[in-house]
Amino acid sequence: MDPLVPILTLFAFLTAALSAFTGLGGGTVLIAAFFALGMTPVEAVPLFAAVQFVSNASRTVAYVRHVEWRGAGWFALMAVAATVLVAPYAAGVDVDVVRLILAGLILVSLLPTRHNLAPLPPRASFIVAGLLNGGLGMFVGATGPFTGRLFLRPEWTKETTIATLAFTQVLGHGLRVLAYGAIGYSAFARPELLLPLCVAAILGTWAGKHLNRRISGEQFTGLFKAVLLILSVKLVYDSLRGFGWI
């Protein structure tokens, strides 16, 4: 058995539990683990996209009546356009550049923010989120660090935020699966890894919902940030070593 299978399956379970518990963030840990374990973008991103498609689809089904469909429509329009534009360049991207960009995005996402910052207008938020998801998402996989905050709208209920974010992630990851397949990198090329990851994601979602009763949000958030920090440092180290700077 490939030694990556049990390691990544465990990560898929834990990160799905994290997403079910907090609403987002698990995918960032999972893709960072993929890159930290030495996978290249054309190996990591389509596989990750397929797993996250399953994970977010289960959350979408649970909250489908709360989806903000107009916003999701603007998101989809921009995500399709951006994905089509950048797909031809995905295979040639330098893995060390991707690691460095992802580490930077993670570190920026960990910076404290002022809660009174005014969000972009709704349509602008969805347009920007779609462009970032379809563009940068093709290279780094996880888009939560740079699009998640665009869905934290003061006029929305918690359920609307979770539902719309999950549905747009289904769209984005589905587009990446199709785009990478079109350029010759199928997400289904390694079924021995894909299947256990998808099962782990479903089980992790179920477990995460039950964690709400046992672990405080502060404890879980602190652990999540610590894991992200460790992974980002590992990604920076690997990228600098790849550039020959250390």
Side-chain angles (χ1 to χ4, degrees), residues 42 86-94 139 180 183 185:
V42 293
V86 305
Y89 307 101
V93 67
D94 188 326
F139 303 110
Y180 270 95
I183 61 174
Y185 299 94

Side-chain angles (χ1 to χ4, degrees), residues 67-83 122-135 137 143-144 146-148 150-151 156 164-176:
V67 174
E68 168 53 57
W69 296 108
R70 181 175 298 178
W74 281 107
F75 174 96
L77 184 64
M78 296 298 105
V80 168
T83 300
R123 183 180 299 178
S125 293
F126 306 134
I127 289 174
V128 171
L131 290 172
L132 290 173
N133 187 290
T143 59
F146 47 92
T147 63
L150 294 170
F151 291 86
W156 282 6
T164 309
L165 184 58
F167 180 66
T168 54
Q169 290 299 307
V170 167
L171 292 174
H173 289 304
L175 285 170
R176 278 185 279 285

Side-chain angles (χ1 to χ4, degrees), residues 36-167:
L37 289 170
M39 297 180 75
T40 64
V42 293
E43 293 174 317
V45 175
L47 179 65
F48 170 78
V51 174
Q52 289 301 105
F53 180 91
V54 171
S55 180
N56 283 282
S58 62
R59 207 153 51 246
T60 300
V61 170
Y63 291 95
V64 67
R65 66 189 182 92
H66 298 284
V67 174
E68 168 53 57
W69 296 108
R70 181 175 298 178
W74 281 107
F75 174 96
L77 184 64
M78 296 298 105
V80 168
T83 300
V84 170
L85 285 173
V86 305
Y89 307 101
V93 67
D94 188 326
V95 63
D96 294 311
V97 172
V98 172
R99 286 179 180 143
L100 201 57
I101 291 174
L102 181 59
L105 291 171
I106 291 172
L107 292 172
V108 169
S109 76
L110 294 176
L111 294 175
T113 58
R114 292 180 297 168
H115 293 293
N116 60 348
L117 286 175
L120 290 172
R123 183 180 299 178
S125 293
F126 306 134
I127 289 174
V128 171
L131 290 172
L132 290 173
N133 187 290
L136 277 178
M138 278 292 293
F139 303 110
V140 301
T143 59
F146 47 92
T147 63
R149 290 175 182 173
L150 294 170
F151 291 86
L152 299 177
R153 306 209 56 81
E155 70 272 19
W156 282 6
T157 65
K158 174 184 171 183
E159 290 77 14
T160 300
T161 298
I162 292 174
T164 309
L165 184 58
F167 180 66

Side-chain angles (χ1 to χ4, degrees), residues 1-14 30 33-34 37 39 47 51 190-201:
M1 177 188 290
D2 187 336
L4 285 180
V5 174
I7 297 172
L8 292 179
T9 300
L10 177 61
F11 263 100
F13 175 84
L14 295 175
L30 185 58
F34 278 18
L37 289 170
M39 297 180 75
L47 179 65
V51 174
R190 299 183 65 183
E192 78 286 355
L193 183 54
L194 177 62
L195 182 58
L197 289 179
C198 289
V199 172

Side-chain angles (χ1 to χ4, degrees), residues 12-37:
F13 175 84
L14 295 175
T15 55
L18 173 63
S19 290
F21 186 84
T22 63
L24 58 99
T28 306
V29 177
L30 185 58
I31 192 65
F34 278 18
F35 285 122
L37 289 170

